[in-house]
Amino acid sequence: MEKTWGGRFIEVTDALVEELSASIQFDHKLYEWDILGSKAHARMLSTCGILTQEELNAILKGLDEIRDEIAAGKLGFTIHLEDIHTHIEHRLIQKIGEPGRKLHTARSRNDQVVTDVRLYLRSEIDNICGLLATFQRTLVELAERYADTLFPGYTHLQRAQPVMLGHHLLAYYEMLKRDRERFTQCRARVNVLPLGSAALAGTSYPINRVMVAQELGFASVSANSLDGVSDRDFILEFCADAAILMMHLSRFCEELILWSSSEFGFIELSDAFCTGSSIMPQKKNPDVAELIRGKTGRVYGNLTAVLTLMKSLPLSYNRDMQEDKEPLFDTIATLNIALRIFPPMLRDMQVKRERVTATLEQGFMTATEVADYLVRKGVPFRTAHGVVGELVRYCLKENKTLRSLTLDEYQQISPNFDEEVLTVVLPEAAVNSKNSIGGTAYEHVLAAIGQAKEDLAALESANEQGERR
Ligand code: ARG
């Protein structure tokens, strides 16, 4: 089969070289974007007097037909034609002849491929941001459901202080909010047109890059042709943002796994999101959470792969860069499944309230409240800390909880105690006293839910306006 670059070659390409250099197995994903970019390029070439109107019409019609052929699975792919760009150009020439041979005027595969990837990634980022929005809305719904559900808060995985479960869930809302911001900022740097950089130096044809940028919805054109063809920062940035997002999901998964163990027993995930064991009939395993936690590793790996790929490349384009695609595609596929499966898994999760409440009675989770209460009575904090330490020791010895101690017992340890201490040790009192900004008091959880709803609605209407523009 004729190579697009075959002119200077006499011998045929070694079969192993074709096997090594082909990327069509994965870059066929880019076909729609390649055709979109080619159509914009052709229109610009015709406006600039480089193609005639008839040539343009033939090219546009041919490209549309090829898009339909590929969509219908009718265009066979072969490694002899290397990549998606060559396949489409080859098919175009087959279909329309001479005008097809003019499409590649004033461009190179080097600026073409990175234009395609930018178009593709921009659309994938929009999709991911939509999935993140759904996830955020789910968290807000659940936070509302559990706004006043008392829950043990941990540090060092040791029971620390009670919080509202709604507050705990909203912590993940905040993480996802930052993730979404990061992707939105990344999108702005993706949205720059490299086409027109040609192979590396720019082109001597009288082209109009701004016209192509406008047609394809790019906010600007790249300023330096060498950088235009060799910059992959936007892929790295996306992969880094994805790695951070997966780290958040993985932490959440870890909690779900712990909470659904018999040892914790805080939640039960629904059957639809668990699997069983082939040998132990009693098992119900949180595989979804485990797999998302596991897939976080591959997303980190993809980031490392592209960083390593790029670290020693001289300017400008190097064929190594063809290796940027699989890690990117894999990252996008992983994010998609993780973000689609997580919200329904959460919505179906049952919280075992009695079990959760029982844990609040153990572990002296309101000990800090007692110390703070003594401080309010004029006892220096360090002294109060010591007194409560003694109380805890007493409870451990007598097998009692702070709540089950009588006022008498309190007063034996310090005369500063009065009746009020009996309500201070209640978890709901502890939680509702945490009314600093960002604290877990019920009224703050409600306010945070209100704020989150406002933020989500504002983002939604901004997106709608963006779409109409
Ligand atoms: N398939 C190639 C890639 O993904 C397209 C660019 C090829 N350029 C070249 N000079 N061989 O990078």
Side-chain angles (χ1 to χ4, degrees), residues 23 27 82-83 85 109-110 113 317 319 321-322 325:
S23 54
D27 68 13
E82 270 182 43
D83 57 23
H85 326 291
R109 267 188 301 164
N110 299 350
V113 66
Y317 178 83
R319 190 62 184 278
M321 289 168 163
Q322 181 166 294
K325 283 169 213 64

Side-chain angles (χ1 to χ4, degrees), residues 18 91 154 206-207 232 237 254 266 317 330 419 422:
E18 293 202 325
R91 180 73 183 127
Y154 292 80
I207 61 168
R232 296 294 183 273
E237 200 177 333
E254 174 67 12
F266 291 173
Y317 178 83
D330 184 73
E419 220 143 71
L422 302 177

Side-chain angles (χ1 to χ4, degrees), residues 67-337:
R67 188 193 49 218
D68 295 344
E69 285 172 16
I70 298 178
K74 285 191 190 137
L75 187 72
F77 296 135
T78 156
I79 61 167
H80 301 305
L81 289 176
E82 270 182 43
D83 57 23
I84 189 63
H85 326 291
T86 313
H87 272 83
I88 291 172
E89 188 182 331
H90 184 266
R91 180 73 183 127
L92 186 68
I93 294 169
Q94 226 176 36
K95 286 173 86 83
I96 68 169
E98 272 315 275
R101 305 182 77 89
K102 294 191 177 176
L103 174 61
H104 211 53
T105 314
R107 86 175 177 188
S108 152
R109 267 188 301 164
N110 299 350
D111 57 347
Q112 184 182 355
V113 66
V114 71
T115 300
D116 294 2
V117 175
R118 283 175 184 270
L119 284 167
Y120 158 80
L121 183 54
R122 185 179 70 187
S123 133
E124 292 296 335
I125 289 175
D126 290 344
N127 179 49
I128 286 165
C129 285
L131 294 173
L132 279 171
T134 305
F135 201 148
Q136 285 177 297
R137 276 195 295 272
T138 304
L139 286 170
V140 173
E141 264 167 49
L142 288 175
E144 241 173 344
R145 194 188 301 168
Y146 301 115
D148 60 354
T149 304
L150 294 165
F151 201 72
Y154 292 80
T155 62
H156 313 266
L157 200 55
Q158 305 289 322
R159 284 180 204 162
Q161 292 182 335
V163 294
M164 295 302 194
L165 177 53
H167 193 59
H168 193 114
L169 293 166
L170 286 178
Y172 286 102
Y173 170 87
E174 292 296 325
M175 293 177 228
L176 296 191
K177 181 179 165 187
R178 290 193 296 275
D179 288 321
R180 205 167 148 196
E181 282 165 9
R182 264 186 288 272
F183 283 117
T184 308
Q185 287 156 7
C186 172
R187 186 194 196 277
R189 278 178 288 275
V190 169
N191 202 21
V192 177
L193 174 76
L195 202 66
S197 302
L200 75 162
T203 175
S204 52
Y205 290 98
I207 61 168
N208 184 344
R209 297 186 63 202
V210 173
M211 179 185 163
V212 178
Q214 276 167 357
E215 176 163 346
L216 295 175
F218 284 108
S220 60
V221 300
S222 58
N224 179 296
S225 59
L226 292 164
D227 185 49
V229 295
S230 71
D231 166 33
R232 296 294 183 273
D233 294 3
F234 68 99
I235 295 182
L236 285 168
E237 200 177 333
F238 174 81
C239 288
D241 296 349
I244 297 173
L245 164 61
M246 287 301 290
M247 176 272 289
H248 292 149
L249 299 189
S250 185
R251 292 183 74 177
F252 204 168
C253 287
E254 174 67 12
E255 296 204 313
L256 296 177
I257 294 162
L258 287 172
W259 293 349
S260 59
S261 69
S262 324
E263 283 68 16
F264 277 77
F266 291 173
I267 59 167
E268 181 163 356
L269 295 167
S270 81
D271 285 0
F273 294 96
C274 289
T275 59
S277 160
S278 56
I279 171 167
M280 297 165 283
Q282 84 283 11
K283 292 293 294 282
K284 176 167 163 184
N285 298 325
D287 297 43
V288 170
E290 291 173 297
L291 281 166
I292 295 173
R293 186 177 60 180
K295 282 176 189 292
T296 302
R298 66 193 291 154
V299 172
Y300 290 4
N302 291 337
L303 169 62
T304 308
V306 185
L307 278 171
T308 312
L309 168 69
M310 295 304 293
K311 74 178 268 287
S312 304
L313 295 185
L315 296 185
S316 55
Y317 178 83
N318 300 271
R319 190 62 184 278
D320 316 45
M321 289 168 163
Q322 181 166 294
E323 292 288 313
D324 63 359
K325 283 169 213 64
E326 283 167 294
L328 175 64
F329 295 165
D330 184 73
T331 298
I332 289 169
T334 308
L335 254 50
N336 264 282
I337 185 71

Side-chain angles (χ1 to χ4, degrees), residues 37-49:
S38 285
K39 284 169 71 177
H41 179 66
R43 282 201 191 95
M44 179 277 290
L45 288 180
S46 133
T47 305
C48 295

